[in-house]
Amino acid sequence: MPNKRMQNDHPKTVLIIDDEESIRDVLVNFFEELGYDILTARDGRGGIAEFKRNPTDLVITDIVMPRVEGIGTIREIRKQSKSVKIIAMTGFVGSYLQEAVTLGADDSIGKPFTSEELIEVLERVTIS
Ligand SMILES: [Mg+2]
C-alpha cells in the first residue's frame, strides 16, 4: 500500500490560465519546482479547450481575461469535472473572488501574491 510520501511523489498536473505572460511565467516556475506537469492557456476559451483535451488535477485561473473571462471558465471546467481543484486569482478587489468560489472554485488568491501565500492556498485545496 502506498504511504503518504509516495502519494505525494505522484506526478501532478496543473493548468495555468492567465492572459498576462509574466504571471504565467511565474506560475510555471513555481509549479515546476514542485514537480508538476504543466499546461498553460492565455484566455478562458483556450483554457477550457485545453482542459477538455487534457483534464488536469489542478486549475489556477485568472478572472479578468479576454475571450471567456475566469468566472465562465470556472463554471465550464467545474461542469467537466467535479474532482478538479480550482484556484481563482485576481488583482481586482470586490466580489469577484467570492463569486468564483460560489461558482465552483475551491479557493482564491488576490494578486499580487507571494510564493508563501500561494503555497498556503495550494495546501488548503490539495489536502482537503
Ligand atoms: Mg488578467
Side-chain angles (χ1 to χ4, degrees), residues 18-20 23 62-66 89-90 92 111:
D18 199 301
D19 58 323
E20 283 179 64
I23 303 278
D62 188 25
I63 297 293
V64 181
M65 297 182 289
M89 56 182 170
T90 183
F92 286 78
K111 290 179 186 172

Side-chain angles (χ1 to χ4, degrees), residues 96-128:
Y96 281 125
L97 290 179
Q98 187 51 51
E99 192 180 353
V101 171
T102 304
L103 289 170
D106 295 285
D107 217 317
S108 61
I109 188 165
K111 290 179 186 172
F113 49 80
T114 63
S115 42
E116 287 75 17
E117 287 167 331
L118 184 53
I119 284 168
E120 273 178 37
V121 172
L122 197 55
E123 284 178 348
R124 282 207 299 267
V125 304
T126 55
I127 288 169
S128 65

Side-chain angles (χ1 to χ4, degrees), residues 41-101:
R42 62 183 61 210
D43 58 44
R45 188 192 292 168
I48 291 164
E50 189 62 60
F51 189 82
K52 285 179 180 173
R53 279 194 299 270
N54 296 299
T56 50
D57 305 315
L58 174 69
V59 172
I60 182 161
T61 182
D62 188 25
I63 297 293
V64 181
M65 297 182 289
R67 291 181 296 280
V68 186
E69 41 67 55
I71 297 293
T73 303
I74 290 164
R75 200 189 292 128
E76 185 57 35
I77 288 176
R78 180 55 76 211
K79 236 191 272 176
Q80 301 290 321
S81 167
K82 286 194 167 40
S83 61
V84 61
K85 301 295 185 182
I86 303 175
I87 299 171
M89 56 182 170
T90 183
F92 286 78
V93 290
S95 60
Y96 281 125
L97 290 179
Q98 187 51 51
E99 192 180 353
V101 171

Side-chain angles (χ1 to χ4, degrees), residues 29-46:
N29 289 335
F30 175 87
F31 283 104
E32 260 175 8
E33 286 196 14
L34 295 178
Y36 277 73
D37 289 334
I38 300 163
L39 297 169
T40 63
R42 62 183 61 210
D43 58 44
R45 188 192 292 168

